[in-house]
Amino acid sequence: MSRLRARATIDRNVGAVLVLVAIFAPLIFNTYWIGTLLTDALILGILAATLIFLSAYGGMVSLAQVALYGIAAFAIGNLTTTGNTKGLNLGWSPLAAVPVAILVTLLMGLLFGVLARRSFGIYFLMITLTFGVIANLFFGEVTTVSGFGGISGIPTPTIIGNPAQHPARLYFVALVLALAVYALLRYLARTPFGLTLQGIRDDPVRMASLGYNVSLHRTLVFGAMSAVAGVGGILFAWWNGHVDPATINIGNSINVLIIAVIGGLSRLEGAWIGALVFVILNNYAQQISFVSSRFETLIGVIFLVIVLLSPDGLTGLWARAIDLLRTSRKQVPAADPGGGSPAN
Amino acid sequence: MRLLRETHGRPRRWHYLGALLVVALVVAGCGSSSSSSSSSSGSSSSSSSSSSAAAPTTSLSGGEPIQKAVAPRTGTGTPIKIAVMSDCQGAFGSFDNQDLAGVVSAISQFAGGKPVNPALPRAGWTGGAIGNHPLKLVGVGCSNDSADTVIRETRRLMEQDGADIMIGPLSGDESIAVANYAKQHPTKTFVDGAAGAQDTTLKVQAPNFFRFNGDGAMWNAGLGDLAFNKLHWKTAAVISDDYSFGWTSTAGFIADFCAAGGQITKRIFPPLNTTDYSSYAQQVPTNVDGYFVAVGGSGLIPFLKAYEQAHGPIDGKKFIGNLFWGTPGLFESLGPRVAGAYVGGAGTAGDLATPAAQDYANNIIGHWFKTIPPGGPAAAQAASTFTYGYYINTWGLLKGLEAVKGDISGGQKALQAAIGKASLPAPYGPITLDANRQGIITSYYQQLFLKGGKLAVKTVASIPNVNQTFGGTFSGSTPAPGRTFPNCVKRSLPWQGKEASVPVVGGG
């Protein structure tokens, strides 16, 4: 236990430093990093955190998270735009549309959750993949709400303004929401609901025999994570100003899974670490002259290396490095008992 | 936060999934850059196939260019930073080098640049200047025909690499997204690559986005007039892929045919990537004079076969296709039955026997590049929609830069005004811009015919001064082309009756 406590202390300190860096990032990084790379990483991190939470606490690997995130983005697009040739063009205020978009996403998440509540393992994965495909095709085919061209010119709230002119504003909104999501998910994991969920993850039959409603728990947590993914989707719509069915295609669903695996599926922090690494790789890999347009191959190789070196992703690698460091420190006095104590 | 599962020491089940993902990702990555051409054949087919059907070898080959190249230039002033947005992944990924060939050839021809590698257009250019301002290539974007990706790539090029001007993108939905991005960045200038979405210029109307190529509807101008007045169709049915390009392409035919006096009695829209077209073929009416078919990619032949099963052998003269029909090799399994069908174009005509067209292929594209991978000899790919689109758009940009002597200060306002006034004596007909900064172009249509018992395609006629509005059918306030729009309305079009037959080489 002391090993875990020591590691937790180090983690907390490093985490605090990273949060401080994130807060002062606009003073450290250029506007492209703030407005594009870091904001994108924060948004994708929120999305990946929902996948990690479902997987780690509920044993549910969902490939529908991107679709749910997209539903929120399409909802915002339809509610707030005007003058587009596609979509509902309702012209609402961006802030007024937020609760409606989250509600729509929550309801769709609950619907998906109800349908998938009795599926486990690979079957759950497949049924959520099906949800993703359905959402992708729905928004492509139904021109009343999108069509393949998607919805452009999505406005942002006045407080955020034009992200091209004020990139730091949206960045800070994304940062605050990412921290809030992180805190909320940590809290949720420790509540009786979260503990029950972990019990269901480990042994659903036993939990059912103890009187817990396994299906209801699984449905509710899926719905809750849908709403959180919806927060990411709204931020994405504001950040990108455009959403189309390609935003929620299978490739992007797998990208979010890759982010979660790179970061580490056993720790929530891994969502943002994985997202940052993925975004930076995606951005810079193709600028390497010999890689050029084959940058996705490079990303695949890096992903392969990370998975082989540490199945727990980068956060797992970090934990092992800390343990190794502590072990090697303890072994030094054991090898030389006479010189270990300053009192001697 | 360490989770309970880990502390309880339960086995993790992720290894198999991780391995699966790795394999999928690496395979996808390996194939991303150049192997995904399956669905794109139609998009450049009309031009490339026509040039292949009729190899452009005239006396002009290897001679002195009509549009003489400027002497090599370098500049010492403030560089003009240019980015190019291409598709190196997705359905159009295999045309990546054609895009760059168009750009680099125009820079070399009109601004004194030189390809870095005459066998690899993507390597970019060296040298080149306007008004002592060197033209510096700061980056080439790699999109995949999705708006989402093109926005990310545009941001990288404009905000990280600091480009002043971007040339591209390639495809329709991408161009709408870029035009919207352009609106938010009025001090930068954007010229299209080869994208043909109507909304890009007609609806978005970004003051700093320019397009010298036509849109998908304009490319079919003249076909309706042909059907009504020469083929004597009074009624027609349209069958089209159910997505934005299919709708836009079909809208051009409907607007043109109805303007001439025809009636569209049935509109059928099979979903994209349909594999079994039998139910749609059954819906095709037999009591019409002809059909316009805008089913593309891997769907065209299955649709025509389903039609034959439902209604008997195809009579080529009762069919008009859009640019997807421009590749005769596609129809091998149908034999000569499609001979006689007319085909819409994409604003290009590779077999055009005019000096300007042949000069462009042989002495400009074929001069600056020996090969354009993976397609082989460069001259034969000059008439590709992509090579030509990027070429004329870059040329239009350079005309604007010449007018302001390379001075892009003042938020590029003077440059943007100059580009808006640019007119191009382009290889396939003159181009000017309308008030929405959209090109007014010459369109072409072609015909499938039998040459030595084999199916071939030749350019038949040109339609001059095609504009985006189709005599008021389309405007900033009308709906976008769709399943029910445009309505069938008789009206006057500027080009009605003005189509002219054109001389072609090797067309038989």
Side-chain angles (χ1 to χ4, degrees), chain B residues 83 173 182 194 210 267 275-276 281 340 361 380 387 400 408 417 444:
Chain B
D173 293 338
F210 303 85
R267 305 179 191 212
T275 51
D276 179 4
T387 310
I408 58 170
Y444 295 88

Side-chain angles (χ1 to χ4, degrees), chain A residues 47-251:
Chain A
L47 181 60
T50 66
L51 194 155
I52 289 178
F53 188 90
L54 284 173
S55 163
Y57 291 94
M60 299 186 280
V61 182
S62 168
L63 286 178
Q65 298 311 105
V66 171
L68 292 159
Y69 157 98
I71 287 169
F74 278 111
I76 282 285
N78 276 286
L79 291 170
T80 61
T81 52
T82 50
N84 267 324
T85 52
K86 293 150 196 154
L88 296 172
N89 291 302
L90 295 178
W92 291 17
S93 141
L95 284 179
V98 168
V100 178
I102 290 180
L103 183 65
V104 168
T105 313
L106 174 66
L107 292 175
M108 288 310 298
L110 288 172
L111 177 65
F112 287 178
V114 167
L115 295 172
R117 70 192 189 282
R118 295 188 196 282
S119 303
F120 291 85
I122 192 76
Y123 303 103
F124 186 85
L125 188 83
M126 291 308 294
I127 202 167
T128 51
L129 177 63
T130 307
F131 293 153
V133 172
I134 290 171
N136 175 251
L137 292 176
F138 173 82
F139 286 110
E141 296 288 347
V142 182
T143 51
T144 312
V145 292
S146 168
F148 286 105
I151 298 172
S152 292
I154 300 172
T156 54
T158 315
I159 193 170
I160 291 173
N162 181 352
Q165 290 168 350
H166 309 288
R169 293 186 190 174
L170 184 57
Y171 167 77
F172 278 119
V173 170
L175 178 61
V176 167
L177 288 172
L179 290 171
V181 165
Y182 175 68
L184 174 73
L185 297 188
R186 279 195 67 154
Y187 170 77
L188 190 62
R190 294 172 181 184
T191 60
F193 178 84
L195 294 171
T196 307
L197 192 65
Q198 291 167 61
I200 290 170
R201 171 201 67 200
D202 291 341
D203 198 334
V205 176
R206 180 176 292 181
M207 291 301 283
S209 67
L210 288 172
Y212 288 98
N213 188 333
V214 171
S215 297
L216 181 63
H217 262 82
R218 286 165 59 86
T219 304
L220 288 178
V221 74
F222 197 85
M225 289 309 105
S226 304
V228 176
V231 171
I234 291 166
L235 288 172
F236 171 80
W238 288 344
W239 174 73
N240 208 38
H242 172 94
V243 61
D244 66 73
T247 307
I248 56 172
N249 62 15
I250 292 177

